[in-house]
């Protein structure tokens, strides 16, 4: 009998290396507070699923990090991205599209030997309504909570959650 395949949390260095390579800028990663959605603190939530469509993992980013990573990937000027964070409080269509690519690539963090294949199923942008089952999964304790700084853009928070 073989053990069931399970998704494992990546370590902070893997997250740092993946984000840095993706956005083409130095990225600093340190332990951080859990990212949880509130009325005043909207978050993006990427939902990753197995081939059987079971939820494998979640990637949760606060609005600033959602904007910084998307902006850096799309080579947008930091000042314009900062305006989105500080004044608009929501992502533009272009930033949402770039963030979708960021979280799609981050699925590779969960695709390691011995784990079931994970693929991006859905991205909920900051301010989108989260389904109750997804919102409930955000409270689990099998998680990696990080403070992330994208060089030239800014700081934000990221949580990877294995439900």
């Amino acid at each position: 009998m073989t053990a069931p395949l399970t998704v494992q949390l990546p370590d902070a260095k893997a997250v740092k290396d993946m984000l840095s390579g993706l956005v083409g800028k130095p990225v600093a990663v340190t332990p951080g507070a859990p990212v949880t959605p509130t009325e005043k603190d909207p978050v993006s939530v990427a939902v990753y699923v197995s081939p059987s469509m079971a939820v494998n993992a979640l990637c949760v980013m606060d609005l600033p990090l959602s904007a910084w990573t998307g902006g850096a990937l799309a080579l947008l000027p930091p000042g314009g991205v900062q305006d989105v964070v500080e004044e608009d409080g929501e992502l533009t269509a272009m930033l949402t599209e770039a963030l979708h690519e960021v979280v799609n690539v981050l699925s590779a963090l969960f695709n390691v030997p011995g784990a079931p294949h994970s693929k991006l199923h859905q991205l909920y942008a900051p301010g989108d309504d989260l389904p109750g089952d997804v919102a409930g999964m955000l409270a689990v304790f099998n998680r990696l909570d990080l403070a992330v700084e994208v060089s030239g853009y800014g700081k934000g928070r990221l949580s990877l959650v294995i439900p």
Side-chain angles (χ1 to χ4, degrees), residues 8-97:
Q8 300 292 319
L9 280 171
D11 61 22
K13 183 181 182 323
V15 175
K16 173 188 181 300
D17 292 348
M18 179 74 69
L19 282 173
S20 184
L22 179 61
V23 301
K25 296 189 161 300
V27 173
V29 174
T30 56
V35 183
T36 52
T38 65
E39 190 96 9
K40 295 172 84 172
D41 190 17
V43 302
S44 60
V45 178
V47 178
Y48 302 98
V49 296
S50 70
S52 66
M53 295 302 288
V55 175
N56 272 353
L58 303 171
C59 175
V60 190
M61 291 187 204
D62 64 4
L63 175 66
L65 189 60
S66 298
W68 304 142
T69 57
L73 180 69
L75 302 174
L76 297 174
V81 178
Q82 186 172 359
D83 290 346
V84 166
V85 172
E86 294 176 358
E87 296 170 18
D88 302 343
E90 63 183 18
L91 299 182
T92 63
M94 180 184 285
L95 279 173
T96 301
E97 188 175 316

Side-chain angles (χ1 to χ4, degrees), residues 69-137:
T69 57
L73 180 69
L75 302 174
L76 297 174
V81 178
Q82 186 172 359
D83 290 346
V84 166
V85 172
E86 294 176 358
E87 296 170 18
D88 302 343
E90 63 183 18
L91 299 182
T92 63
M94 180 184 285
L95 279 173
T96 301
E97 188 175 316
L99 176 62
H100 187 277
E101 186 57 30
V102 169
V103 297
N104 188 40
V105 170
L106 289 180
S107 68
L109 291 169
F110 304 109
N111 290 322
V112 296
H117 182 74
S118 296
K119 69 174 186 174
L120 178 63
H121 173 67
Q122 178 80 42
L123 170 64
Y124 297 94
D128 288 355
D129 288 333
L130 288 177
D133 60 336
V134 172
M137 290 178 199

